[in-house]
């Protein structure tokens, strides 16, 4: 018990946020790990409907729609997480975006990853920026996305790593492969 309390105390000064938190599982998991609510949630108009319940769950957490704010407030954050839509790299996606591509590196849905990465790395400059996406990001299908994200990361002085894993390796009795 002592060790558990000590580890929570060590997280008191950690400041974090999320961009495009969607249904909120990643942001809630981060809050559980750190021991407090996020300092800010960033999003875009396209995702507000998906995030209504998260706003109701954390009504006192600043929720900033980047489409509606000319100069969004930015504060020092240690880390920022994202759950940008993965439809462009999902094998379940059959809809065609503006690019005419339903999936793969050229799918229009991937633009949310680039836009979010640029905003966070240029303006917030956290120590760590990480996200969760479909398994396609790790393979040949996502090669173009990875290359572009790597270029964005480098242009702001960041490095980049990919990890592909499954929920079954982390205590959940389900095989759901994801890329982080």
């Amino acid at each position: 018990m002592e060790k558990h309390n000590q580890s929570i105390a060590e997280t008191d000064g950690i400041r974090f946020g999320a961009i495009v938190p969607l249904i909120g599982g990643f942001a809630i998991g981060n809050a559980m790990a750190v021991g407090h609510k996020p300092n800010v949630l960033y999003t875009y108009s396209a995702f507000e409907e998906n995030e209504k319940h998260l706003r109701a769950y954390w009504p006192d957490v600043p929720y900033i729609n980047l489409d509606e704010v000319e100069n969004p407030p930015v504060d020092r954050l240690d880390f920022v997480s994202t759950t940008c839509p993965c439809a462009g790299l999902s094998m379940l996606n059959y809809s065609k975006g503006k690019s005419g591509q339903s999936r793969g590196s050229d799918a229009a849905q991937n633009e949310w990853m680039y836009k979010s990465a640029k905003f966070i790395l240029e303006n917030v400059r956290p120590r760590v920026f990480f996200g969760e996406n479909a398994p396609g990001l790790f393979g040949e299908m996502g090669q173009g996305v990875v290359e572009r994200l790597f270029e964005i990361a480098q242009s702001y002085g960041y490095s980049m790593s990919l990890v592909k894993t499954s929920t079954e390796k982390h205590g959940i009795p389900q095989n759901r492969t994801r890329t982080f």
Side-chain angles (χ1 to χ4, degrees):
M1 189 65 136
E2 180 76 26
K3 187 175 183 180
H4 179 71
N5 288 337
Q6 181 181 359
S7 64
I8 289 174
E10 291 171 3
T11 65
D12 285 348
I14 294 177
R15 297 180 52 80
F16 76 99
I19 184 166
V20 189
L22 299 180
I23 64 170
F26 208 5
I28 291 169
N30 292 335
M32 292 173 69
V34 173
H36 62 81
K37 299 174 191 176
N39 297 85
V40 65
L41 299 171
Y42 295 107
T43 198
Y44 301 98
S45 298
F47 308 111
E48 280 187 314
E49 195 63 33
N50 294 330
E51 298 164 350
K52 277 186 175 179
H53 65 286
L54 190 59
R55 291 177 71 183
Y57 183 65
W58 286 326
D60 55 336
V61 173
Y63 182 82
I64 300 167
N65 181 329
L66 297 171
D67 296 332
E68 297 174 356
V69 180
E70 192 169 319
N71 293 311
V74 175
D75 201 0
R76 180 195 64 81
L77 298 175
D78 294 299
F79 71 87
V80 176
S81 66
T82 186
T83 314
C84 275
C86 57
L89 298 172
S90 171
M91 294 307 292
L92 299 175
N93 179 32
Y94 290 98
S95 64
K96 296 207 183 303
K98 292 178 187 174
S99 69
Q101 293 289 323
S102 63
R103 61 179 108 128
S105 289
D106 295 330
Q109 301 92 327
N110 298 329
E111 291 298 320
W112 293 112
M113 285 188 273
Y114 311 138
K115 186 174 182 176
S116 297
K118 286 177 184 176
F119 172 78
I120 293 298
L121 298 179
E122 179 179 353
N123 299 291
V124 179
R125 304 210 40 87
R127 291 179 183 174
V128 177
F129 177 50
F130 59 100
E132 177 264 343
N133 209 278
L137 181 63
F138 197 84
E140 187 178 330
M141 177 189 284
Q143 184 175 348
V145 174
V146 170
E147 289 170 1
R148 186 152 172 209
L149 287 172
F150 183 71
E151 289 171 11
I152 293 167
Q154 280 193 314
S155 71
Y156 294 106
Y158 286 81
S159 62
M160 185 176 143
S161 300
L162 291 179
V163 175
K164 182 177 177 182
T165 189
S166 173
T167 53
E168 68 184 354
K169 295 179 181 179
H170 305 282
I172 298 172
Q174 173 193 33
N175 180 13
R176 184 160 193 253
T177 304
R178 306 306 293 160
T179 301
F180 292 86

